[in-house]
Amino acid sequence: MGGLTDDEAFRKTTFVVIDFEATTPTGSPAQPVEVAVLALRYDGEWQETGRGTSLIRPPAFAPVTPAFTAQTGLTAAELEAAPTPAEALGALDRRFTAGTSYLLVAQHAATEANLIYQQRQHCPALARIDLLDTIPLAKRCVPGLINYRLDTLLAYFGIAQPADRHRAPADVAVTAQLFRRLIAVAHDNGEVDSLAGLVKIAGRAAPGNAPVQEELFEIAPQEGE
């Protein structure tokens, strides 16, 4: 009987680990200032199929604060010279190939999902890709931890903390390691045996794919009604 990594749909999927760093202006949605991605496929073993990163210039209403610089090391001067959201996210969006099966992977995927949705005009393809959240997957695979923050999970699996933690490329790299460890546990314990089962546990629909409420539109009666 096959396990998760033997599932054909799982093997046909490209898992794109994604992370944003963002400023959070008062009264406005978070604004991305850095993005990183790392793409993985499994075919008997994990293969990295691509990676990328870019700084992103924040709008004037979302300035870089001293606290943000202290956490990430990113300065206002660096970000003033960065590509615009349209440039950075547009370039990322063009890397997704039509007809390929993708799932985004993120720690606390709601954060990434909301940032992408707010920027969807710049990355329409990315905004339609559903997500996997490593937190509910970790809760299923390693129950009973004190919490499921990234640092806690890294410590549990013995994954070294990167020197530049809280920068998108570093966080993507360790989240990718975490994801691979969780998939190994899910495969070995036999609780998840298919991509569909994985999505049921850890999936999150992209906000851009949310169904439209029919009652918002007037539906013309059909003949005979």
Side-chain angles (χ1 to χ4, degrees), residues 189-200:
N189 68 21
E191 290 189 16
V192 186
D193 61 3
S194 66
L195 181 67
L198 180 63
V199 169
K200 186 174 181 179

Side-chain angles (χ1 to χ4, degrees), residues 28-200:
S28 296
Q31 300 296 312
V33 297
E34 186 175 40
V35 62
V37 294
L38 193 161
L40 299 168
R41 286 284 298 270
Y42 187 88
D43 188 11
E45 61 182 12
W46 286 104
Q47 299 178 354
E48 181 182 320
T49 61
R51 66 168 63 201
T53 185
S54 179
L55 296 177
I56 304 171
R57 188 190 314 162
F61 66 81
V64 172
T65 64
F68 180 83
T69 297
Q71 182 179 53
T72 66
L74 291 169
T75 66
E78 285 179 279
L79 294 173
E80 284 174 5
T84 65
E87 293 167 338
L89 296 176
L92 174 59
D93 205 57
R94 290 189 290 273
R95 298 184 66 174
F96 291 92
T97 305
T100 300
S101 176
Y102 294 103
L103 281 172
L104 302 179
V105 177
Q107 171 80 1
H108 195 261
T111 300
E112 270 59 40
N114 290 334
L115 279 163
I116 292 167
Y117 185 71
Q118 292 294 333
Q119 300 291 329
R120 62 192 181 279
Q121 70 272 29
H122 305 312
C123 51
L126 179 64
R128 292 192 295 269
I129 301 173
D130 293 331
L131 304 97
L132 293 175
D133 192 332
T134 52
I135 293 177
L137 180 58
K139 288 180 177 179
R140 174 64 68 91
C141 291
V142 287
L145 297 186
I146 188 170
N147 62 57
Y148 289 85
R149 296 170 183 164
L150 181 58
D151 290 340
T152 302
L153 292 169
L154 296 181
Y156 177 86
F157 282 105
I159 299 170
Q161 281 270 356
D164 49 354
R165 175 82 170 87
H166 298 297
R167 288 293 303 274
D171 287 358
V172 152
V174 292
T175 301
Q177 291 183 59
L178 171 63
F179 177 65
R180 291 170 58 168
R181 296 287 188 91
L182 291 172
I183 292 299
V185 173
H187 175 90
D188 291 344
N189 68 21
E191 290 189 16
V192 186
D193 61 3
S194 66
L195 181 67
L198 180 63
V199 169
K200 186 174 181 179

